[in-house]
Amino acid sequence: QVQLVESGGGLVQAGGSLRLSCTASGSIFSINAMAWYRPAPGKQRELVAHITSGGNTNYADSVKGRFTISNDNAKNTVYLQMNSLKPEDTAVYYCKANLATVLATTLWYAYWGQGTQVTVSS
């Protein structure tokens, strides 16, 4: 079993900051990458930020220069530092881990957290 737990969401005013955390636990063999998603206008989840276990990152254009993703491999944790928040950033943010379990060490599978609410007021 694998679980992802997010934390750090909340209510902030425009221009403020939040730091989201997501920790994966359970029968994990290795984590290839972790990422943050939020709903897109069409209700599909869009990629906000992505980081590999080696530290390579990429971001959605809408958050470049404002958000920073980082990881702590020893803790199976990913962070999203969100600065200069805008009302448009209001969403439920979901953590995803691309990992292999101890029962299938060569098979990558995506696991999702249940989300954490971020609300930015104007």
Side-chain angles (χ1 to χ4, degrees):
Q1 295 181 335
V2 175
Q3 302 84 37
L4 272 64
V5 178
E6 304 105 327
S7 63
L11 173 64
V12 298
Q13 291 187 330
S17 299
L18 285 172
R19 190 192 192 204
L20 306 183
S21 299
C22 173
T23 298
S25 62
S27 302
I28 299 170
F29 179 74
S30 63
I31 297 178
N32 184 51
M34 300 184 79
W36 292 95
Y37 289 76
R38 67 188 182 190
K43 299 183 179 180
Q44 180 182 6
R45 293 179 182 178
E46 68 173 350
L47 178 67
V48 176
H50 174 274
I51 186 168
T52 68
S53 60
N56 298 118
T57 62
N58 55 66
Y59 300 88
D61 288 341
S62 60
V63 307
K64 286 182 179 178
R66 300 188 297 120
F67 292 9
T68 302
I69 190 170
S70 61
N71 59 7
D72 185 336
N73 292 328
K75 297 181 179 180
N76 292 330
T77 297
V78 64
Y79 306 95
L80 186 66
Q81 178 66 47
M82 304 185 294
N83 298 327
S84 301
L85 283 163
K86 304 176 181 179
E88 305 94 274
D89 296 317
T90 296
V92 177
Y93 284 72
Y94 296 90
C95 175
K96 185 185 79 172
N98 191 32
L99 57 83
T101 69
V102 296
L103 297 180
T105 60
T106 62
L107 180 64
W108 300 110
Y109 190 82
Y111 292 84
W112 292 87
Q114 296 187 18
T116 184
Q117 177 70 51
V118 172
T119 303
V120 184
S121 62
S122 60

